[in-house]
Amino acid sequence: GFRQEIKAHNPNSDLSDTVVIQDEFDIWLKNALVLYEDTLPALDHWRKLGIPMVLVTAGVSEHQRQKITMVGISYDDIHVVSPPNRKSEVLEQLVGRYGSPVIFIDDKIEDLQETQKHLGKKVVTVHIYRPDSPHKEKHKNHNGPRISSLAKVNTIINLLENGVTIRRANKNDISAIARVNSDVFLGNKSDLKAATDWVACWYNAFPLYQYFVAETGGNKPEIVGYVGWQTHGGFLRPEPVIELEQIGADPAVQSLGV
């Protein structure tokens, strides 16, 4: 454990001395803590927007606060939850303080699900998927927005503040439709080029195939979903069949009404 790591780092350490242990632990902890690259830019952006930021974490209060101080995260408030207390209880207080909805971002599915059950739509529960998270295997169990970068929270904020409009897609939308397609469908999963070629083929089949997009409002509109309608049976039939062939929504806004 920790003692073995300290000995490997500094063989001359006297681990019978509690002061030495504490000092060595502090050094080890500071070197071990690394923020994800998207963290500080996201926090700086939200602060410029005037969005209150509250850290809700579980564990030993002194230890958790020490870690937060070491990595230099700025915040408006911090709550350290220790069993049997739950994060949802703190979030209920935050809803009372700031109003709803509150955006709650966590990588632990159990905390998100418990909050959904307790507070419903008062809190937008966002699962952040990190490849090195100890909870990553359970990410598919979350019924709500999913992100892999804190930058995508801006899409959620834009949607909540400005809503969406539905319009017919144009040629300039192909890349945005392809991005959503590659995020949610197995046929082009994580392959943006394949998704772009696929979407372009169907777009060029107009009017046999027609795309419509869901676009957020505000100063920076963003396409967060689309549908593809396909005509069957020929154009001269009195009542041609129109099939909703495909519908996709950005994982960051799923369950938010798109």
Side-chain angles (χ1 to χ4, degrees):
F2 169 69
R3 288 174 178 267
Q4 285 76 18
E5 292 193 40
I6 292 300
K7 277 295 185 182
H9 176 72
N10 188 353
N12 298 320
S13 296
D14 180 9
L15 296 185
S16 65
D17 188 329
T18 57
V19 175
V20 171
I21 292 176
Q22 184 63 56
D23 290 343
E24 292 288 354
F25 176 77
D26 290 345
I27 294 171
W28 172 83
L29 182 61
K30 187 173 183 179
N31 292 331
L33 293 173
V34 179
L35 287 174
Y36 291 102
E37 292 183 357
D38 59 340
T39 302
L40 293 181
L43 295 178
D44 290 343
H45 178 68
W46 300 336
R47 185 164 297 284
K48 290 177 182 179
L49 294 177
I51 297 174
M53 291 175 287
V54 179
L55 302 182
V56 182
T57 182
V60 178
S61 179
E62 181 181 358
H63 184 51
Q64 295 298 89
R65 292 173 186 273
Q66 179 187 19
K67 291 193 294 182
I68 291 167
T69 299
M70 283 182 170
V71 296
I73 294 178
S74 61
Y75 54 87
D76 294 289
D77 200 358
I78 178 173
H79 295 263
V80 181
V81 179
S82 298
N85 298 320
R86 299 176 176 178
K87 291 182 181 179
S88 62
E89 296 169 355
V90 174
L91 287 158
E92 187 171 20
Q93 298 173 20
L94 296 179
V95 169
R97 182 190 307 176
Y98 297 111
S100 63
V102 167
I103 299 176
F104 171 40
I105 308 163
D106 207 310
D107 68 341
K108 192 173 181 180
I109 296 296
E110 290 82 359
D111 287 340
L112 294 168
Q113 290 177 335
E114 202 276 329
T115 300
Q116 279 183 328
K117 181 179 179 180
H118 186 60
L119 295 173
K121 294 184 178 180
K122 293 179 182 178
V123 176
V124 177
T125 53
V126 181
H127 178 256
I128 184 162
Y129 176 85
R130 301 293 196 183
D132 56 351
S133 168
H135 315 293
K136 65 179 181 179
E137 298 302 327
K138 298 182 179 181
H139 73 280
K140 294 181 180 179
N141 298 329
H142 178 54
N143 181 27
R146 296 186 182 95
I147 60 175
S148 57
S149 168
L150 289 174
K152 288 298 292 184
V153 176
N154 299 324
T155 300
I156 299 173
I157 295 171
N158 193 3
L159 173 65
L160 295 175
E161 290 184 343
N162 301 300
V164 295
T165 57
I166 308 298
R167 61 171 175 80
R168 185 187 296 278
N170 59 57
K171 191 172 184 179
N172 294 329
D173 299 324
I174 290 177
S175 60
I177 296 172
R179 177 185 56 78
V180 175
N181 179 280
S182 67
D183 281 344
V184 299
F185 290 108
L186 291 177
N188 297 310
K189 190 68 174 178
S190 302
D191 191 330
L192 186 57
K193 182 181 185 306
T196 301
D197 292 343
W198 178 267
V199 171
C201 284
W202 282 113
Y203 179 85
N204 291 326
F206 180 89
L208 179 66
Y209 198 94
Q210 301 183 39
Y211 281 115
F212 288 79
V213 295
E215 185 176 54
T216 59
N219 296 326
K220 296 182 178 180
E222 181 180 351
I223 290 175
V224 292
Y226 71 92
V227 294
W229 296 94
Q230 186 174 1
T231 303
H232 293 276
F235 296 119
L236 299 181
R237 292 182 62 177
E239 296 181 355
V241 175
I242 308 296
E243 176 191 3
L244 176 55
E245 193 272 333
Q246 192 170 82
I247 181 170
D250 189 319
V253 301
Q254 289 182 8
S255 83
L256 296 182
V258 176

